[in-house]
Amino acid sequence: MKTCFENLEINENDLIIIGSSSLQKVKEANRDKQAIILETKKYGTGEPHESWVNQILEESNKKDFHRVIAIGGGGIIDIAKFCVFGDGRSIQQLFSDKEKLNKKRELIAIPTTCGTGSEVTSVAVVEIEALKSKLGLQIDALFPDKSILIGDMLENLPYPVFSNTSIDALAHAIESLLSPKANAYTDLFAKRAIQIIVNNFLEIDGKRCLPNDLQNALIAANMAGIAFSIAGCATMHALSFPLGARYHLAHGEAVYAVMCSTLNYYKNIGVSLDKLEKALKDSFPVSSDRVKDLISLLRSNHQEPSFEEMKITKSECKDMAKVVYEKQQRLLVNSPRELSEKDLEIIYRNCLKKERT
């Protein structure tokens, strides 16, 4: 980190937005460089929420910073993205005025988890209280100007965070691969990301530890981010947003909660998963159903969040499906087949089954 800061020539015109996990490393690297450090936990915890992100926006606008440097997971990077405009707008105003926004600050993203992909995308997501869900702002101004991958930043990552964020990155890659917007280039990135992530889980299967090559894990997440920045995320991510907002699941947990049910529903309605099967060929060389083996591997390494334990009811599944169908078409248009509100409800309700397929 110290070498990184020296190369970036960090100075008093820089705003560093950071969570708590890497704070000590950053303080040491920032010594005598006089950048302002803004620690997000002083404003709120968990996934970015409209109310306290607005406080961070207000704080970030007190000085004419030239650069915003995000060091953290996807939530931290997304918060930093909202700060690049520096013009006093609130979250609600940023969404309302997205056609009028002008980027004033350079954005540098340094991820500290292996799942976000936010360091190479033009999307920032925040929880909106009135909707009881999350919304994503997607405009080119939100692309980071620089992304820096430092494997050492992951060395103290707790295993649950590693597995959650890896599964999120896997979902990015799978949804990109199956997207109608996919092309030969996004497929290259998505397939390689899937292979690295799956092989990481095979390496550590049953051990609940980090894989040996953390830099490679970062690269896989980055590749998945490049793929979905073009081909898009889809059903899994759309369905995850109400779960994160209503039941306070971390983003990776919320995606994982619906991931297996979504893949099984695709199979049941005849969506071709051949591209995914082929991407998994080297990881499961003798398998007759590689998607099934993938689901088994994930469950072996990380238990799915339980709809029963969260006390989610059938009526809540119906309500969430309605919200997703009405508010998340930005994502749903990237699904491999057009899905109705009823389809979304069925996927949610399938998560309620005690014996999941």
Side-chain angles (χ1 to χ4, degrees), residues 138 175 178-182 230-236 238 266 324-325 327-339 344:
Q138 183 171 19
E175 295 202 299
L178 301 179
S179 170
K181 297 178 184 176
I230 300 168
C233 287
T235 312
M236 300 174 198
Y266 284 168
V324 170
Y325 188 75
K327 300 298 182 181
Q328 302 299 339
Q329 288 298 324
R330 175 183 71 85
L331 297 172
L332 292 173
V333 295
N334 302 319
S335 302
R337 179 178 295 183
E338 184 176 348
L339 298 176
L344 302 177

Side-chain angles (χ1 to χ4, degrees), residues 164-218:
N164 275 339
T165 55
S166 293
I167 290 170
D168 184 26
L170 181 63
H172 292 157
I174 290 173
E175 295 202 299
S176 301
L177 194 66
L178 301 179
S179 170
K181 297 178 184 176
N183 58 48
Y185 299 98
T186 60
D187 282 357
L188 282 172
F189 285 102
K191 289 176 182 177
R192 185 58 184 144
I194 290 168
Q195 290 163 357
I196 294 172
I197 295 165
V198 171
N199 288 342
N200 278 343
F201 278 122
L202 287 170
E203 176 193 333
I204 63 174
D205 193 18
K207 300 175 184 176
R208 297 184 65 81
C209 64
L210 301 182
N212 289 322
D213 194 340
L214 294 175
Q215 185 71 20
N216 214 27
L218 269 179

Side-chain angles (χ1 to χ4, degrees), residues 104 111 184 206 228 263:
K104 292 174 61 178
F228 90 78
L263 289 174

